[in-house]
Amino acid sequence: MKVSILAKLSAVLVALCIPIVILLVLYVQETNVNIDFGQKEVYGNEYLKPLYKGLDSLTQHSLISTRSKKYGINSGSLASLEEKMESAIKEYNSVDKKYGKIFSSTAKKMSAFEDKWKSLKEQSAKMDAKSSLEAHNSLIVQLRDLIVYIGNDSNLILDPDLDTYYLMDATLLKHPSITDYLYQLQILAERIANAQKITNDERTDVVVLSGLIASDIGNLRIDHDTAYENTKDANLKGAVDSNVIVQQNAVKNVMKFIDANFVKSEGISVSINQVASAMTPAIKTGFEMMEKSIGYETKLINDRIGRFNATKEKRLLLSIVVTIIILILGAYQILSVVRAIRKLEDGAKKVSSGEMGVSVELNTKDELQNLAESFNKMVGNISKAIGTIEQNSMNLEALVKETTTSVSQIKQTSDIVSDNARIVADAASVSVTVSEDGQKAVTDSIEGVKRIKEQIESIAEKIVELNSKTQVINKIISAVDDLTKQSKILAFNASIEASKAGEAGKGFAVVANEIKNLSEESRESTRKISEIINEIQELTNTVVMMTEQGTKLADQGFQLANSAGETIEKLAFSIQNASEAAFQISSSAIEQKSGMDQLEETMRNAVLAGV
């Protein structure tokens, strides 16, 4: 699929905007994380308000219940405190209904606390002072654990800003600690006041608790001062510090009272009501200070969330504006490039159609302008080249005319060569025929010599076989000669025996004499036969030798005939190749003649057409 340059450059421009969009999305995600972090802190403070109210009510409930059960003093209304506690629990549950999905286990922890609180209310009248105090202390510990849990789970303990962090440290850690130490100190002081004497251990406990309260109240002061120094809110100190000073003064008054009546005094002369009157303002002002600090801490966190939102909106707007500007500038540049390319394209089309007076003018002050200048130079060079070609065409026309004349002359020569080549081809054809006949005659001669050689070899074999037969006859004659000799000896022995026999042996002597004569004749005949056989053997040997010489001569004749045949065959092959070459030369001459005819016709047409 063909894609235009405009589409390609637009795709590049969009691709360049993608990183901006990705960075913007990442920034928005990070900002939203910070906003959600701060919002969770706000929700945590919403939980802390009813928890501190409940802690205040539970502390006062424990003190009044202990005075009533242990000392028989009715110093306040438990019913009103119980109503405040129920109100605090209800307020907590209302907050948890809104944000319980964000915080885990809050409803479960409050439910456990609420069950324990209901049990305390129902059984409080039946409890003795010790059991009631233990039950109250257990509930206070459970409530303080819930406060710490909310502080951890709501990010308050991880607050990133120094002002809100130190306010959180004062309200979430220092204030509950001070309240708890004041509560323990008040229980201890009222017990000592009731006994009107103090032991060394009790005095030590009083000193330790006083020191812990003094340390925490000093650290609380440091927390607030650090928050004032690191805040961007100029109203923070004015809104919070007055309550801090009131609470500090109340705690200092408690320290003076305790120091004067329980640490430095030898005897105890204060009453339980006096202890309660001295301690209650410190606890009360502490909760007022805490409530004020939590409220302003929430304001600071909301301000921070607002800044995040405002910054996010500004950066979103800025990113959108920057992206739009980039797109506009990029589109302008792309359109400029596309317009320049289209001008060059139009110029190229005109040149391709034969219009040489084309000039593309661009003022882009970049590579496209350089390209246009190069294009104009190229068109000028092409125009010059066309003029040169036209001049050369005229020269070529004269050259063609001269070439036509030369071609005609070459054609005449080619005709002569073609005729000569044809004559050579015919002669070569005759030579091939003659060489084939000669080759056939030589082949027939070789076959005849070969047959003569085979006949001589066969005769030689028969003569050798005859020689072997004569040797067998010699052996037989030798045996007959031996038999003759033995017959002669036998006839001689028979004559001797016949002579011994006298008259009776005469006939046998005659027979022996005949046998003797016969053996001599046989011996003579055998001798003559042996001589004849010897002569035959000599003749046979002579014939064998002559046959061997004839065989050798036939073999030499066969080899000479075979060599002559090979030579004639090579000669025939050479004649054949020469004949083929002659035919090829003849064919080439004919083709050359045809080509020269076509060339002559072409050159004449070119001359007639005026090149």
Side-chain angles (χ1 to χ4, degrees):
M1 183 179 65
K2 187 176 181 180
V3 181
S4 66
I5 188 67
L6 178 60
K8 292 179 180 178
L9 293 176
S10 299
V12 172
L13 180 60
V14 172
L16 290 175
C17 292
I18 290 175
I20 299 175
V21 174
I22 293 173
L23 291 174
L24 181 61
V25 170
L26 293 176
Y27 168 74
V28 170
Q29 289 178 346
E30 182 182 3
T31 304
N32 288 336
V33 168
N34 291 329
I35 291 172
D36 293 340
F37 187 95
Q39 195 62 57
K40 201 171 183 181
E41 288 185 279
V42 172
Y43 298 155
N45 281 335
E46 292 296 318
Y47 276 99
L48 291 179
K49 290 177 183 179
L51 289 177
Y52 281 134
K53 290 179 181 178
L55 183 60
D56 183 22
S57 301
L58 187 59
T59 301
Q60 294 301 320
H61 192 279
S62 176
L63 291 170
I64 292 174
S65 178
T66 300
R67 291 194 201 108
S68 174
K69 293 179 178 294
K70 194 170 184 178
Y71 311 124
I73 298 174
N74 187 8
S75 58
S77 173
L78 291 175
S80 62
L81 292 173
E82 289 172 359
E83 289 178 1
K84 290 180 180 180
M85 175 59 76
E86 296 294 337
S87 176
I89 292 173
K90 186 177 180 181
E91 183 180 346
Y92 179 94
N93 289 331
S94 178
V95 173
D96 191 63
K97 189 175 181 180
K98 294 180 182 178
Y99 313 124
K101 293 182 180 180
I102 300 175
F103 299 96
S104 58
S105 304
T106 50
K108 184 178 180 180
K109 289 180 180 294
M110 176 51 72
S111 178
F113 174 82
E114 192 173 357
D115 292 340
K116 207 167 184 179
W117 162 249
K118 288 179 180 179
S119 175
L120 176 62
K121 280 197 309 178
E122 293 172 357
Q123 299 178 10
S124 178
K126 301 176 183 179
M127 290 181 179
D128 56 17
K130 183 179 179 181
S131 298
S132 176
L133 181 61
E134 289 176 353
H136 279 88
N137 287 340
S138 177
L139 278 173
I140 290 171
V141 170
Q142 194 170 352
L143 197 57
R144 286 197 63 186
D145 288 343
L146 185 54
I147 290 171
V148 173
Y149 175 80
I150 291 295
N152 288 330
D153 204 31
S154 65
N155 299 327
L156 284 168
I157 201 71
L158 301 173
D159 192 281
D161 292 343
L162 290 176
D163 52 358
T164 49
Y165 175 82
Y166 281 102
L167 283 179
M168 176 278 303
D169 187 68
T171 56
L172 188 65
L173 300 177
K174 300 298 189 299
H175 168 69
S177 178
I178 292 170
T179 301
D180 187 56
Y181 291 147
L182 287 172
Y183 165 72
Q184 293 181 38
L185 182 59
Q186 186 172 350
I187 294 291
L188 178 59
E190 288 182 359
R191 186 174 74 239
I192 295 171
N194 180 67
Q196 289 294 298
K197 63 179 181 180
I198 185 171
T199 64
N200 290 332
D201 289 340
E202 290 174 336
R203 195 185 300 276
T204 300
D205 290 341
V206 169
V207 171
V208 171
L209 287 171
S210 298
L212 292 172
I213 292 170
S215 175
D216 280 347
I217 200 68
N219 290 332
L220 187 143
R221 177 74 266 177
I222 293 172
D223 283 347
H224 280 85
D225 289 341
T226 305
Y228 303 152
E229 292 172 0
N230 293 279
T231 187
K232 297 178 181 180
D233 191 331
N235 298 321
L236 173 61
K237 184 174 182 179
V240 174
D241 201 51
S242 58
N243 294 87
V244 177
I245 292 172
V246 169
Q247 203 262 347
Q248 281 186 314
N249 290 334
V251 171
K252 288 179 182 179
N253 290 333
V254 169
M255 294 299 100
K256 290 178 182 179
F257 175 81
I258 294 297
D259 187 62
N261 294 286
F262 293 94
V263 178
K264 294 181 179 180
S265 175
E266 293 294 333
I268 304 300
S269 58
V270 295
S271 64
I272 293 174
N273 289 330
Q274 287 176 321
V275 173
S277 299
M279 300 289 291
T280 299
I283 295 175
K284 182 179 179 180
T285 56
F287 280 107
E288 291 173 353
M289 182 272 299
M290 179 275 305
E291 185 175 1
K292 192 70 175 180
S293 296
I294 286 179
Y296 216 89
E297 181 185 350
T298 299
K299 177 185 179 301
L300 291 175
I301 294 172
N302 282 326
D303 290 344
R304 185 174 73 214
I305 293 172
R307 289 195 299 272
F308 277 127
N309 281 320
T311 303
K312 181 176 72 173
E313 291 173 359
K314 289 179 182 178
R315 292 191 179 182
L316 277 172
L317 181 61
L318 179 62
S319 298
I320 292 171
V321 171
V322 170
T323 303
I324 291 172
I325 292 172
I326 290 173
L327 289 173
I328 291 172
L329 293 175
Y332 174 77
Q333 292 297 328
I334 289 172
L335 291 175
S336 298
V337 171
V338 171
R339 281 196 296 267
I341 291 174
R342 285 177 178 171
K343 285 184 179 181
L344 288 168
E345 183 183 10
D346 293 339
K349 288 180 179 179
K350 291 178 180 179
V351 171
S352 65
S353 64
E355 186 178 345
M356 292 293 111
V358 177
S359 178
V360 178
E361 300 297 332
L362 294 178
N363 191 25
T364 57
K365 293 182 174 58
D366 55 13
E367 288 81 358
L368 289 173
Q369 183 175 344
N370 296 335
L371 180 60
E373 293 173 355
S374 299
F375 176 82
N376 294 333
K377 291 179 181 178
M378 180 188 70
V379 172
N381 292 333
I382 291 174
S383 298
K384 292 179 181 179
I386 289 173
T388 303
I389 290 171
E390 290 176 350
Q391 181 64 37
N392 291 337
S393 177
M394 296 174 64
N395 296 333
L396 180 62
E397 182 178 359
L399 181 61
V400 167
K401 290 180 179 179
E402 294 177 1
T403 304
T404 302
T405 303
S406 299
V407 166
S408 297
Q409 294 174 356
I410 293 171
K411 179 178 178 296
Q412 293 174 359
T413 304
S414 176
D415 291 338
I416 296 171
V417 171
S418 178
D419 293 338
N420 293 333
R422 186 172 60 254
I423 293 170
V424 171
D426 293 339
S429 178
V430 173
S431 298
V432 169
T433 303
V434 172
S435 68
E436 288 177 352
D437 294 340
Q439 186 178 7
K440 185 175 184 302
V442 170
T443 302
D444 292 341
S445 299
I446 291 171
E447 290 296 327
V449 172
K450 184 177 181 181
R451 284 194 296 271
I452 292 170
K453 178 186 175 184
E454 290 175 353
Q455 290 294 329
I456 293 173
E457 289 176 350
S458 178
I459 292 170
E461 290 177 357
K462 294 297 182 180
I463 292 172
V464 170
E465 184 177 354
L466 177 62
N467 189 26
S468 64
K469 295 295 184 180
T470 56
Q471 290 177 359
V472 172
I473 293 171
N474 279 333
K475 290 181 181 180
I476 294 171
I477 291 172
S478 178
V480 171
D481 186 53
D482 291 338
L483 181 60
T484 302
K485 288 179 181 180
Q486 291 178 1
S487 298
K488 186 176 181 180
I489 293 171
L490 182 61
F492 180 73
N493 291 330
S495 297
I496 293 172
E497 292 295 330
S499 63
K500 288 179 179 182
E503 193 68 28
K506 287 182 179 181
F508 186 73
V510 172
V511 173
N513 189 42
E514 289 296 329
I515 292 171
K516 178 181 177 184
N517 293 330
L518 179 61
S519 64
E520 288 177 354
E521 291 176 359
S522 297
R523 183 176 182 184
E524 182 65 22
S525 296
T526 300
R527 183 183 62 78
K528 291 180 179 180
I529 293 169
S530 177
E531 289 176 354
I532 294 169
I533 291 299
N534 289 331
E535 291 176 357
I536 291 171
Q537 284 181 339
E538 289 177 356
L539 291 173
T540 300
N541 290 332
T542 302
V543 172
V544 167
M545 291 177 63
M546 293 176 67
T547 302
E548 288 179 353
Q549 291 177 355
T551 300
K552 291 180 180 179
L553 291 174
D555 186 56
Q556 291 176 358
F558 175 75
Q559 290 179 356
L560 290 173
N562 193 32
S563 176
E566 290 177 355
T567 302
I568 292 173
E569 184 178 358
K570 291 179 181 178
L571 179 61
F573 182 73
S574 299
I575 293 171
Q576 181 68 29
N577 290 338
S579 177
E580 291 177 357
F583 278 115
Q584 290 177 357
I585 292 170
S586 177
S587 299
S588 298
I590 293 170
E591 290 178 357
Q592 183 179 7
K593 180 177 179 300
S594 177
M596 293 306 296
D597 290 341
Q598 293 178 359
L599 177 61
E600 181 183 20
E601 183 65 25
T602 301
M603 297 301 290
R604 290 185 184 280
N605 291 335
V607 171
L608 292 176
V611 191

